[in-house]
């Protein structure tokens, strides 16, 4: 777990200190959303301790990076196989190096294209907590390596035989993919 994060039963808990105040953010693993479920700000344990604000101020509230907390919680939920996004439950690929990993990533991309998502690259980037540029580069590389196929100048819309060989017997998603490929 990253610094400041812990797993507490069915909750992801993030704890931090802001201007001397204690911040606790909780995300429920079984919630139908990936963002935080609760946020608590408390004074330090020692009532005589000096804090950097005069109570809970706008400055204190603005210093809470909910976007970063949400991104980290979403990534941790995905690692634990508890994401609400189908793309992350299938295969969370923070690193794509082997041909099998390229085939897995290509499968997720094609699945999103076939489901009609307008920006599958953005959806994968968001789901996996990576930049859009990183995912886009990986998709281009997967196509160059022969894992993705489609009309020139258009998004790839199907897996190649090479990709299917790497995925053979992977799980029930193979039969779903065969439907997408028209077999």
């Amino acid at each position: 777990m990253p610094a400041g994060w812990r797993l507490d039963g069915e909750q992801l808990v993030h704890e931090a200190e802001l201007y001397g105040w204690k911040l606790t953010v909780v995300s429920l693993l079984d919630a139908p959303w990936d963002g935080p479920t609760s946020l608590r700000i408390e004074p330090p344990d020692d009532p005589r301790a000096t804090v950097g604000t005069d109570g809970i101020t706008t400055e204190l509230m603005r210093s809470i990076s909910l976007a970063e907390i949400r991104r980290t919680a979403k990534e941790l939920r995905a690692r634990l196989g508890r994401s609400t996004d189908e793309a992350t439950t299938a295969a969370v690929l923070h690193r794509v190096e082997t041909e099998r990993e390229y085939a897995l990533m290509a499968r997720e991309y094609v699945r999103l294209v076939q489901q009609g998502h307008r920006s599958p690259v953005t959806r994968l980037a968001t789901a996996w907590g990576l930049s859009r540029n990183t995912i886009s580069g990986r998709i281009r590389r997967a196509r160059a390596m022969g894992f993705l196929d489609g009309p020139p100048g258009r998004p790839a819309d199907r897996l190649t035989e090479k990709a299917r060989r790497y995925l053979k017997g992977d799980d029930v998603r193979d039969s779903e993919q065969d439907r997408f490929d028209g077999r």
Side-chain angles (χ1 to χ4, degrees):
M1 291 278 174
W5 287 86
R6 64 184 166 82
L7 187 59
D8 185 7
E10 289 293 303
Q11 299 178 341
L12 274 174
V13 180
H14 173 63
E15 297 173 315
E17 183 182 307
L18 302 169
Y19 299 103
W21 295 84
K22 293 179 354 185
L23 170 69
T24 305
V25 180
V26 175
S27 297
L28 299 176
L29 289 176
D30 61 355
W33 58 82
D34 280 318
T37 305
S38 69
L39 179 135
R40 189 172 63 236
I41 301 171
E42 298 176 293
D45 291 333
D46 180 357
R48 294 177 301 248
T50 304
V51 293
T53 63
D54 188 22
I56 298 174
T57 62
T58 303
E59 177 185 20
L60 176 71
M61 295 299 290
R62 286 187 178 143
S63 71
I64 301 169
S65 178
L66 283 178
E68 179 66 22
I69 291 168
R70 181 181 170 86
R71 185 193 63 73
T72 303
K74 190 172 188 173
E75 181 180 316
L76 292 172
R77 285 184 66 175
R79 284 188 202 169
L80 295 167
R82 304 291 290 274
S83 177
T84 60
D85 190 325
E86 291 177 35
T88 56
T89 59
V92 179
L93 299 168
H94 299 287
R95 300 187 62 90
V96 177
E97 296 171 342
T98 68
E99 291 202 331
R100 173 151 169 74
E101 290 166 340
Y102 272 100
L104 287 166
M105 183 202 55
R107 178 182 64 193
E108 293 310 307
Y109 175 80
V110 166
R111 185 179 60 78
L112 292 172
V113 168
Q114 295 289 340
Q115 288 177 351
H117 292 282
R118 290 176 33 172
S119 183
V121 168
T122 300
R123 190 163 177 96
L124 285 175
T126 301
W128 292 343
L130 298 169
S131 78
R132 197 180 175 301
N133 288 342
T134 297
I135 298 298
S136 183
R138 289 177 181 177
I139 296 300
R140 280 192 309 277
R141 178 132 170 83
R143 193 170 188 156
M145 292 171 69
F147 290 102
L148 289 167
D149 196 16
R154 307 271 306 152
D157 60 0
R158 62 189 171 275
L159 293 175
T160 63
E161 184 57 40
K162 177 180 179 179
R164 284 193 293 276
R165 276 195 314 270
Y166 277 97
L167 298 170
K168 203 65 175 161
D170 196 32
D171 60 21
V172 94
R173 298 176 69 87
D174 284 337
S175 59
E176 292 172 7
Q177 191 60 51
D178 287 346
R179 259 195 357 256
F180 288 142
D181 292 339
R183 292 191 288 142

